[in-house]
Amino acid sequence: MTSRSNGEPLVRLSGVNKWFGDLHVLQDIDLDIARGEVVVVIGPSGSGKSTLCRAINRLEPIEKGEITIDGDRLPDEGKQLARLRADVGMVFQSFNLFAHKTILENVTLGPIKVRKQSKADAEKRARELLDRVGVSAQADKYPAQLSGGQQQRVAIARALAMEPKVMLFDEPTSALDPEMINEVLDVMVGLAGDGMTMVVVTHEMGFARRAANRVVFMDGGRIVETAEPEAFFTNPQSDRAKDFLSKILTH
Ligand SMILES: Nc1ncnc2c1ncn2[C@@H]1O[C@H](COP(=O)(O)OP(=O)(O)OP(=O)(O)O)[C@@H](O)[C@H]1O
Ligand SMILES: [Mg+2]
């Protein structure tokens, strides 16, 4: 799909509302994400960060409002949904690799099945991507033979293999041992530097400072504050952000 390179945001959420039963989990969310922009989403547990990500690729339906990717409204179902969803790469906290497939097969599966690439083309591209995330030597191994940090980098390569227009990361380093966090963050900083549009749920302030254009602070299903990283971390405006930052900074 060709990009429509106009001034339109790549991702637009307008008036997005979602409920889980009585719980109003996303409340009047308006958020535009420009091409190449890196947005870090931060906020307390239960504030709706994961739900926001999942709504963007329609793993969760929304009850009210509109989400568009590159000008196309996310459809409810069917072929068009599958196509639009393939434009949105997602990396979760848990690595979700297929345990019984090799690393190379994990990365080529989507391109062959969904993007209809030939096996040879998909493998060539997969090896390039595995090289880019620093795990090319592991291509013929199985996920359980890799460290958590390596598996998460494979998950990033797998998402990139679909040539997504935007990448969503939901706490990609929070299940990792501390010494593996930076190897994953470094890959993400590199991606950001290459111009990938990214939405990243993380409490890693170092990443936000190095790579984010904007920080979006959520609480209680709402976007409470939006600011540049430095301004947000040094001089948050809302009491809720101040309170939240005082808690995470003491850890
Ligand atoms: N499938 C679901 N059914 C019902 N309630 C849900 C469901 N998924 C999430 N919730 C609730 O919606 C709220 C927002 O959840 P969400 O996972 O988006 O928060 P979060 O900001 O990602 O939190 P965390 O930092 O803990 O990951 C929470 O109160 C959660 O319990
Ligand atoms: Mg979450």
Side-chain angles (χ1 to χ4, degrees):
M1 206 169 139
T2 51
S3 261
R4 298 168 200 173
S5 308
N6 47 29
E8 289 269 302
L10 182 61
V11 180
R12 166 166 276 177
L13 291 89
S14 16
V16 169
N17 282 271
K18 175 171 182 66
W19 285 262
F20 284 122
D22 288 340
L23 183 68
H24 196 175
V25 64
L26 295 179
Q27 304 189 26
D28 301 321
I29 302 284
D30 292 312
L31 180 64
D32 281 359
I33 300 164
R35 268 167 231 286
E37 192 177 20
V38 177
V39 173
V40 159
V41 180
I42 193 168
S45 181
S47 57
K49 306 177 300 291
S50 294
T51 307
L52 181 79
C53 278
R54 293 167 61 82
I56 292 175
N57 71 350
R58 217 172 177 311
L59 287 170
E60 292 288 355
I62 57 171
E63 276 77 45
K64 215 172 122 201
E66 188 176 74
I67 300 175
T68 60
I69 308 283
D70 211 3
D72 289 319
R73 190 186 169 130
L74 283 178
D76 288 340
E77 54 194 18
K79 271 210 167 113
Q80 214 201 341
L81 175 61
R83 184 171 60 75
L84 279 187
R85 198 178 266 161
D87 286 336
V88 183
M90 183 139 183
V91 176
F92 301 89
Q93 178 176 347
S94 54
F95 322 124
N96 299 115
L97 297 176
F98 298 111
H100 302 292
K101 295 194 182 294
T102 65
I103 296 310
L104 189 68
E105 288 165 347
N106 264 280
V107 180
T108 57
L109 192 69
I112 292 171
K113 288 236 150 104
V114 180
R115 296 294 200 203
K116 308 294 177 202
Q117 288 179 15
S118 71
K119 190 166 177 243
D121 285 350
E123 287 188 353
K124 181 168 177 286
R125 179 74 182 133
R127 288 188 191 278
E128 287 167 8
L129 289 168
L130 290 173
D131 191 39
R132 176 174 175 181
V133 302
V135 292
S136 52
Q138 320 296 330
D140 299 319
K141 292 190 182 163
Y142 288 86
Q145 296 173 282
L146 272 60
S147 73
Q150 289 173 325
Q151 289 187 54
Q152 195 62 308
R153 286 181 282 147
V154 172
I156 294 172
R158 182 177 61 174
L160 291 174
M162 298 294 280
E163 310 285 353
K165 290 178 178 171
V166 52
M167 287 277 287
L168 311 177
F169 294 85
D170 190 359
E171 304 208 33
T173 59
S174 55
L176 295 176
D177 291 338
E179 70 270 23
M180 292 171 191
I181 291 176
N182 278 335
E183 64 192 39
V184 172
L185 293 179
D186 286 346
V187 166
M188 293 167 60
V189 170
L191 259 186
D194 290 346
M196 175 61 77
T197 307
M198 295 163 61
V199 178
V200 184
V201 178
T202 184
H203 295 167
E204 293 288 341
M205 283 183 281
F207 173 81
R209 284 200 155 111
R210 272 164 84 195
N213 301 103
R214 264 193 300 165
V215 172
V216 166
F217 174 72
M218 287 185 74
D219 192 22
R222 288 185 184 276
I223 293 178
V224 174
E225 191 166 335
T226 303
E228 288 184 3
E230 205 54 44
F232 179 76
F233 291 119
T234 55
N235 188 22
Q237 298 298 301
S238 62
D239 288 342
R240 282 190 278 181
K242 282 178 197 163
D243 180 54
F244 175 75
L245 285 174
S246 73
K247 283 176 185 147
I248 65 167
L249 289 172
T250 56
H251 285 292

